[in-house]
Amino acid sequence: MTGSSYRRLGWLWLAVLALCAVWLGWMLRQGLPADTDLTALLPADRQAPLVEQADRELGRGFENRFLLLLGDDDRVATTQALGQALQRLVDEGQLAGIDWRELDLADADPHGWMGQWRYRLLTPQWQQAIDADGGSALIEPALRRLFSPTARPEPVTDPFGLLDAWLSRLPRSPIGAADGLLTLDAEGRQWSVLIGELKGSPYELPMQNALHATLERFQQQHPDAQLLRSGLVFHAAAGARQAKREMSTIGAASLLGVVLIIGFVFRSPRVLLQLMLPLVAGSLFALTLTLGIFGRLHLLTLAFGASLIGIAVDYVLHLQCDRVIDGRQFRLRRLMPSLTLGLISSVIAYVAQALTPMPGLRQMAAFAAFGLIGAWLTVVLWLPRFTLHASPFTASLATRWWRLCQPRRRLSPWLALAGALVLVTICALRLTSDDSLKLLNPSPAALMHDEQRVQQLLDRDTGSRYFLVRASDTQALLARLETLDGALDRAIADGLQIEYQSLAGSVPTLTEQQANLARVRKLYGPPLDALVERAGLPANVADQARARLDQAPPLTLAEWLETPIGSLQQRLWLGETGDGEVAATVVISGERDDRTSAALATLADTLPEVKYVDRVSRIGGLLGELRRHTAIWVITAMALMTLALLWRYRRHAWRVVVPPFGATLIVLTAFAVGGVPLNIFNQLGLLLILGIGLDAGIFNVEHARKPAAWLAITLSTLTSLLAFGMLAFSATPALHYLGLTCLIGLASVWALVPWVRPETGHSTTSPRESEHV
Amino acid sequence: MPFRRWWITLLLLVPLSAQAFDLDDLQRRLAATPSLAGSFEQQRELADLDSSLSSQGTFLFERGKRVVWQLEKPVEERIELTPQAITDGSGENAPPGGEQVAQLFLQLLEGDWQALESRFTLALSGDQDDWRVALTPREPALRERIAEITLQGSDTIDHLDMRTPDGDRLKVRLFDQHPLNDS
C-alpha cells in the first residue's frame, strides 16, 4: 500500500465517522430509543406484546405512586409531622399529591355516583333469594336497615338496600380511617398509611433527592417510628445513589489506576488520549449502525456492547508499544497480520452470535462487531499518524519485564489437555446456574424487606400473577371472565388459598343485567308492598319506588372504569389488542406455592383464550433462555475460532487457544468450586475474556520474541482488569458478576500467556513471520 | 361606697363564672356516669317523603366500650357498636363507610369532644343543667353529608338531632336513663 492511498483511506474513514455523527444526531433528535424491558431481548411471540402490556398496566400503580406505612406509639403526632413534611413537597411542586388524612378518603362514597345502576346489579345471594320465593326473605333485613341509627335509609330510591348489598361485595381496600388518619389495621397494630403520587417519572433525580431528604430528616427526628416504604421511586432512588457512590469509588479507582499505569509506562499523557480515541470512534460507529439497522437499542446491549468494544484497547496498546520501542524502525506491516487476525477471530465470534434467533444477542453482536471494526480502523489508519513521545524508559521497561517473566518451564500440549479435562470434569460435576429475578434487582435488602412487609400487611400483590383473557368483544370478554371467575370460585371452595380481582365481579354482562332488572321488578311486587306497610310508610311510597325502575340504565364497562372505585380496576382492562380483539386480566393474590401455580395453570388450559402468566417465573425463564443461548454461542464461537486458528497456526494453534480457553475454564472452575452459580451476566463476562485472551494468544505466538508484545499484553490485561475487574466490588448483582468473571479470567489470561510462549530460540512461531520482518 | 361598688362588681361576676361552663366540664360531667341504660325513641324524617320512620327500643351504654341498640318496634334488632366494629343481628357486612358512621355515633354518645373536634367546630351554649352542643363539619367533603348535629342534655345526653344538607333529619330522644352499677 502506498503512502498516499493509505492517507486517502484515513480521510475516507474520517468522512465515514463524520457521516455517522450526523446520522446519529438525526436519529437521536428525540432521545435514544432504548428498551429496558428484558423481554425485548427475546424472540417475539404472538402473546408477548399483550403480556407486556398487561405487565405495564399492572405495574403502573407501583411506578407512579408510593406508599408509606408508619407505625409509632404516638401515631397521630408523628403521622401529622410526616404528612405535613410531604405536603411541603407537594407545595414545592416535587410531588403531585399526598393522601394521609381520613378526609382524603371522603369522596370514596359510592352512593352518589353508583345509584343509577343499582337496579341491574345483584349479588348471587340476592339473585338466589329472589329466585327462591320472590324475595320475601329480604323484607326483614330491609326493615332492620330502615330503622338502624347508623344506616342511611332511602325508602323511595332503594328500600331494600340493593346498592349497599352490591357494594359490600366489591373488593374493599384494607385501608380505613381511624383518628382522622388513613389507617391500616394489621397484625394487631395500627399503621398510618401515606400515599404519594408522583408528578413525572420515578427516575427524576431532584424529586428523588427531595423525597429522600424529607424521609431521612423525619427518621432522624423520630428514631422510634417504624417506617416502611413501597414504590418504584424508592428502588430507583436507591439505585441512583448506589450508582453515584460506586462511580466515585470503584469508577474513580479504576480510572486513576489506568492513568497511573499508562503514565508510568509511556511517560506521556498523549498516549492516554490516543488510547481513548479508537474506543470513542468505535462506539460512535457501532451506535450509529446498530441503531440504523435495528431502529431501537436495548440498554443491556448498550452496556455490554460498550464493554466488549473494550477489547479494542488491545490493538491500541500493541501498536503503541511497538511504536515506542521500535521508534523509527516501526512498520505497521509487521503488526498487521496479528492485528487483523485478532479482529477477524473476535468478529467471527460475534457474527456467530448474530445468527441466533435472539434479537437481543443479535443487537449485542452487531454492536460489538461494528465497534471493534471501527476501533480497529481508527487504530490502523489514524494512530500511526499521530506523533508519539517515545521515552527510552518504555523500551528498557519492556526488556526488563520480559526477562522477569520468563517461566522456567513451559507447558506441554498434553499437560494442557489433561489440565483442561480435569477442569471440565470439575465444572460438569459442580457448576450450577441461577436465573432468578434477583440478578436484575439492585435494590438493597432493607428496601426489599420493606416492600415485602408492605405487601404482606396490605395483603396485596403487585400483580405479578394473573390470567390473561381475550375475546372478540367486550360482552364476550365479560362472559368469558365470568366463566373463569366461576371456575376460580369452585377451586377456592375446594381449598385453593387464593383471592382474585376480576372485572366480571364489578360489571355483569348485559344479559345478566337484564335478568337482574327482571328480578328486581319481582322484588318490587308484593314484597315491596309488605315492606312499606310494616315500616308504617304510606302506600304510595311503593309506587314511587317502582317508578324508579323505568329509569334504570345498564352499567357499561367503560362507565364503570370511569367511576372512582372502577378506576382502581383500570389496570385490569387492556382494551383492544392489535388484532381487533379485547383483553383483560384477572389478578391473583394469596398462596404462591408450586401446587397453587400448577392448579392455576391447569385451570387456564381448560378454558379457551385464557392464559396464566406468572411474571416472576416468566422473567426467570427468559433470563434462563438468554443464558442458554449465550452459552451455546460461546461454545460455537470457541469452535469457530479454533478452526480459524488451526488454519493459520497448525500445530501451534494450541498455544493460541490456551490463554482464552484456559482462562474460561479457570473462571468456570472457580465458580464451580466457590459455589457461584452461572448466570447471564458472568457468561457475558466470559465473552470479554475470550476476546482479550485470544488477542493475547495471537500476539504471544506471532511476536514470541518481542518484549513489546509481552508489555502490551500485560498492559492490556491490567487496564481491562481495572476497567472491568473492579466491577466485582459493585453491589449491583449484574455488574458484580460481570466484574468477578473479568477479575478471575483476565488474571488467568495473563498468567497463562508466558507458559505457552513458543521457544525463544526457534523462529517457528509462524510460517509467515519471516515475510513481515 | 367603694366597698359597695366592689360588692356589686363581685355579684355581677358570679353568674359570669357560672357561665364559664366549658366542654371539659361537660365531658367530666358526662364521664361521671360510666355506664347507663335507658329507652330511646328515634324518628327519621326524609325530605322526599311526607311521612317519617319512627322506631323505639332500649339501649345500653358502656363508656369507652360499646353501645347496644335494641330495636323493639316496628322490628326486633340488636345492633352493637364498638370503636372497632359494628355488628348487627343479620350478620351481613356493614356497607362501606358504615364503620365511620358507627364511630361518629359512638363519639357523639360519649361526648368525646377531642375526637369530634378534628372534624367539627363545636359550640357550647346553656349551663350545666341544660346545655346544648352544636357541631358543624369543618371540611366540605363531610359538609356534603352532614349539615349540623346538635346534642342536648343535663347529667346525660337527652337529645340527638342530625340534619343532612338534602333535608333529611334524624332525631333521637333518650329517656328513662339510669346508671348501671359496675358489678
Side-chain angles (χ1 to χ4, degrees):
Chain A
M1 196 194 301
T2 63
S4 67
S5 70
Y6 174 72
R7 271 171 191 283
R8 263 206 298 283
L9 278 177
W11 290 116
L12 187 67
W13 173 234
L14 191 66
V16 169
L17 282 182
L19 211 67
C20 280
V22 173
W23 189 15
L24 186 66
W26 184 76
M27 282 192 290
L28 294 186
R29 67 199 182 282
Q30 275 154 354
L32 183 68
D35 292 316
T36 48
D37 191 351
L38 199 71
T39 52
L41 286 169
L42 296 165
D45 69 277
R46 202 175 68 91
Q47 290 274 15
L50 205 56
V51 172
E52 274 152 37
Q53 193 196 340
D55 282 352
R56 269 197 304 279
E57 286 293 332
L58 295 175
R60 190 161 288 162
F62 181 66
E63 280 169 23
N64 302 342
R65 258 177 251 160
F66 65 85
L67 194 143
L68 298 169
L69 290 185
L70 179 64
D72 191 33
D73 296 333
D74 191 9
R75 191 172 74 96
V76 178
T78 36
T79 309
Q80 269 163 359
L82 181 58
Q84 279 152 10
L86 289 168
Q87 184 62 44
R88 275 195 289 280
L89 291 185
V90 178
D91 298 340
E92 287 163 17
Q94 300 281 10
L95 297 176
I98 178 88
D99 290 344
W100 56 283
R101 281 160 304 195
E102 180 190 348
L103 299 165
D104 298 324
L105 204 69
D107 50 297
D109 179 29
H111 288 81
W113 36 262
M114 273 302 286
Q116 54 171 329
W117 297 304
R118 65 183 97 191
Y119 311 109
R120 287 174 183 266
L121 304 173
L122 287 180
T123 65
Q125 291 90 330
W126 281 55
Q127 288 175 345
Q128 282 161 20
I130 297 172
D131 291 345
D133 57 0
S136 40
L138 298 171
I139 299 175
E140 195 76 9
L143 212 51
R144 283 191 226 120
R145 216 181 134 269
L146 284 179
F147 294 100
S148 159
T150 58
R152 287 198 290 167
E154 299 165 289
V156 174
T157 37
D158 197 356
F160 286 94
L162 298 167
L163 184 58
D164 280 342
W166 174 256
L167 289 175
S168 67
R169 190 174 150 268
L170 287 182
R172 246 195 284 172
S173 163
I175 300 172
D179 304 325
L181 305 171
L182 294 190
T183 305
L184 172 74
D185 260 309
E187 297 175 5
R189 185 172 182 183
Q190 283 193 325
W191 297 84
S192 297
V193 183
L194 299 99
I195 302 167
E197 193 160 344
L198 303 185
K199 250 189 164 161
S201 152
Y203 294 97
E204 264 173 38
L205 280 177
M207 175 272 298
Q208 281 182 2
N209 291 338
L211 185 59
H212 180 70
T214 303
L215 294 182
E216 285 288 296
R217 210 171 321 129
F218 171 78
Q219 291 255 267
Q220 274 166 15
Q221 286 160 359
H222 307 88
D224 295 331
Q226 200 182 352
L227 188 66
L228 300 177
R229 310 159 192 220
S230 160
L232 187 59
V233 60
F234 299 118
H235 297 266
R241 278 200 304 282
Q242 186 171 303
K244 210 163 138 190
R245 207 162 44 233
E246 291 184 351
M247 200 94 89
S248 59
T249 52
I250 302 178
S254 55
L255 186 66
L256 189 71
V258 171
V259 170
L260 281 179
I261 289 169
I262 301 293
F264 172 72
V265 173
F266 292 101
R267 312 261 146 159
S268 149
R270 202 175 286 162
V271 178
L272 204 64
L273 283 179
Q274 292 174 2
L275 191 70
M276 295 311 295
L277 186 71
L279 298 187
V280 172
S283 302
L284 172 67
F285 189 60
L287 191 57
T288 314
L289 288 191
T290 318
L291 260 184
I293 293 172
F294 291 94
R296 306 184 60 76
L297 208 59
H298 199 281
L299 277 184
L300 213 58
T301 308
L302 201 61
F304 284 103
S307 313
L308 289 175
I309 295 180
I311 298 174
V313 170
D314 286 351
Y315 312 145
V316 187
L317 286 172
H318 279 286
L319 186 91
Q320 301 291 52
C321 282
D322 255 33
R323 281 179 73 199
V324 168
I325 291 167
D326 290 359
R328 290 186 167 279
Q329 267 83 55
F330 169 76
R331 294 290 174 273
L332 181 62
R333 270 190 309 162
R334 267 199 310 239
L335 216 52
M336 275 307 272
S338 14
L339 282 178
T340 314
L341 200 66
L343 176 73
I344 289 175
S345 57
S346 298
V347 170
I348 285 178
Y350 296 130
V351 169
Q353 181 190 15
L355 298 176
T356 64
M358 313 286 275
L361 291 188
R362 270 165 36 199
Q363 260 190 23
M364 222 180 286
F367 193 92
F370 287 132
L372 280 187
I373 293 172
W376 187 88
L377 284 171
T378 315
V379 169
V380 169
L381 294 175
W382 276 94
L383 276 203
R385 299 168 69 167
F386 292 126
T387 51
L388 189 67
H389 166 77
S391 164
F393 173 79
T394 314
S396 73
L397 178 75
T399 320
R400 263 182 291 158
W401 181 239
W402 162 260
R403 290 217 189 94
L404 200 67
C405 297
Q406 289 298 328
R408 281 191 214 97
R409 301 190 51 184
R410 267 154 225 280
L411 198 61
S412 82
W414 300 114
L415 195 60
L417 189 65
L421 283 177
V422 171
L423 296 186
V424 167
T425 317
I426 296 175
C427 291
L429 290 176
R430 294 287 305 271
L431 200 58
T432 55
S433 63
D434 175 18
D435 302 317
S436 67
L437 202 57
K438 271 183 288 187
L439 290 172
L440 291 175
N441 192 343
S443 290
L447 196 52
M448 288 313 291
H449 176 254
D450 271 18
E451 192 71 60
Q452 273 166 12
R453 281 282 288 153
V454 171
Q455 308 295 352
Q456 186 190 340
L457 288 170
L458 282 179
D459 193 16
R460 185 179 72 164
D461 227 88
T462 39
S464 64
R465 288 181 301 163
Y466 55 89
F467 288 99
L468 187 61
V469 185
R470 298 147 57 98
S472 54
D473 59 48
T474 311
Q475 288 306 316
L477 183 71
L478 288 174
R480 198 158 274 165
L481 286 171
E482 213 169 80
T483 317
L484 174 61
D485 291 358
L488 283 170
D489 287 337
R490 279 191 298 280
I492 290 168
D494 288 346
L496 204 60
Q497 299 284 321
I498 54 152
E499 281 162 50
Y500 67 91
Q501 281 182 51
S502 166
L503 287 170
S506 315
V507 187
T509 59
L510 285 180
T511 332
E512 172 105 16
Q513 290 192 38
Q514 201 57 41
N516 282 340
L517 186 61
R519 287 191 185 98
V520 173
R521 282 191 195 283
K522 214 157 133 193
L523 180 68
Y524 273 30
L528 178 62
D529 291 326
L531 173 66
V532 168
E533 198 206 313
R534 285 186 59 187
L537 290 167
N540 68 342
V541 171
D543 297 327
Q544 287 176 22
R546 273 190 279 271
R548 298 286 174 125
L549 296 191
D550 297 335
Q551 302 134 18
L555 171 64
T556 65
L557 184 61
E559 283 169 324
W560 167 249
L561 294 176
E562 286 305 309
T563 65
I565 305 184
S567 65
L568 299 177
Q569 288 192 328
Q570 264 168 9
R571 61 183 203 141
L572 301 178
W573 172 242
L574 299 178
E576 274 196 32
T577 64
D579 44 9
E581 292 192 309
V582 286
T585 52
V586 172
V587 173
I588 305 292
S589 55
E591 188 61 62
R592 286 202 150 268
D593 59 8
D594 293 341
R595 200 182 64 85
T596 310
S597 304
L600 293 173
T602 319
L603 199 147
D605 289 339
T606 59
L607 299 166
E609 298 285 358
V610 174
K611 185 184 159 131
Y612 176 63
V613 181
D614 183 338
R615 212 154 148 203
V616 176
S617 72
R618 179 168 173 267
I619 294 180
L622 295 179
L623 276 177
E625 209 177 318
L626 204 58
R627 181 180 58 76
R628 280 186 294 277
H629 269 88
T630 355
I632 293 170
W633 163 54
V634 169
I635 293 166
T636 317
M638 285 166 117
L640 282 173
M641 281 177 185
T642 313
L643 281 180
L645 295 170
L646 270 176
W647 167 76
R648 179 169 166 90
Y649 295 109
R650 319 261 165 201
R651 61 189 188 82
H652 281 296
W654 73 273
R655 295 183 191 277
V656 182
V657 299
V658 161
F661 294 6
T664 305
L665 276 179
I666 289 172
V667 170
L668 291 179
T669 312
F671 286 167
V673 173
V676 178
L678 202 58
N679 59 52
I680 174 75
F681 301 104
N682 45 35
Q683 268 184 205
L684 288 170
L686 285 181
L687 288 176
L688 204 69
I689 305 297
L690 273 183
I692 291 176
L694 198 64
D695 285 345
I698 290 172
F699 278 91
N700 187 43
V701 172
E702 289 272 352
H703 309 281
R705 287 166 302 162
K706 279 175 82 174
W710 174 233
L711 181 65
I713 290 169
T714 307
L715 288 178
S716 143
T717 43
L718 252 182
T719 48
S720 306
L721 254 182
L722 284 169
F724 302 112
M726 292 289 275
L727 292 178
F729 302 106
S730 166
T732 307
L735 296 180
H736 166 74
Y737 284 116
L738 177 73
L740 196 62
T741 309
C742 291
L743 196 66
I744 305 173
L746 290 169
S748 310
V749 165
W750 181 80
L752 282 171
V753 163
W755 296 91
V756 290
R757 189 176 294 136
E759 292 287 334
T760 39
H762 303 286
S763 83
T764 51
T765 43
S766 150
R768 282 171 230 179
E769 177 83 53
S770 49
E771 294 166 29
H772 298 295
V773 176
Chain B
M1 256 353 212
F3 174 74
R4 213 167 181 187
R5 201 182 260 166
W6 180 82
W7 183 240
I8 291 169
T9 318
L10 195 67
L11 276 177
L12 283 171
L13 275 174
V14 170
L16 268 179
S17 63
Q19 202 137 51
F21 169 66
D22 64 10
L23 287 168
D24 288 338
D25 298 331
L26 178 53
Q27 194 156 10
R28 266 195 295 280
R29 176 139 198 217
L30 291 173
T33 31
S35 47
L36 48 88
S39 305
F40 71 85
E41 248 177 31
Q42 178 187 310
Q43 199 170 22
R44 200 185 280 270
E45 294 172 8
L46 296 161
D48 56 353
L49 214 67
D50 307 332
S51 174
S52 65
L53 292 161
S54 310
S55 57
Q56 39 191 281
T58 58
F59 74 94
L60 178 84
F61 173 55
E62 287 173 59
R63 182 169 299 279
K65 280 190 197 153
R66 59 173 185 161
V67 174
V68 180
W69 205 251
Q70 181 70 50
L71 264 175
E72 280 159 7
K73 265 187 193 170
V75 66
E76 296 250 335
E77 167 78 329
R78 184 179 185 273
I79 300 163
E80 185 174 328
L81 308 173
T82 64
Q84 286 82 34
I86 164 170
T87 29
D88 59 17
S90 70
E92 269 184 52
N93 283 337
E99 297 95 332
Q100 274 173 280
V101 182
Q103 213 174 49
L104 174 64
F105 200 69
L106 209 60
Q107 285 169 355
L108 287 172
L109 290 182
E110 292 210 350
D112 184 355
W113 314 127
Q114 280 89 353
L116 289 167
E117 197 133 39
S118 68
R119 293 187 289 175
F120 298 92
T121 48
L122 308 180
L124 173 70
S125 58
D127 57 50
Q128 56 176 344
D129 294 316
D130 182 16
W131 52 264
R132 191 182 132 93
V133 180
L135 301 96
T136 31
R138 289 180 190 273
E139 299 288 331
L142 194 57
R143 233 176 285 153
E144 277 175 27
R145 288 196 251 162
I146 298 171
E148 195 194 33
I149 304 173
T150 49
L151 294 172
Q152 265 178 282
S154 50
D155 278 343
T156 54
I157 297 172
D158 299 331
H159 289 278
L160 187 156
D161 187 348
M162 188 189 307
R163 293 165 193 269
T164 62
D166 49 16
D168 289 0
R169 185 169 181 187
L170 175 74
K171 286 196 285 190
V172 181
R173 186 166 83 89
L174 306 173
F175 58 99
D176 284 351
Q177 301 191 68
H178 51 273
L180 288 179
N181 293 330
D182 295 18
S183 54

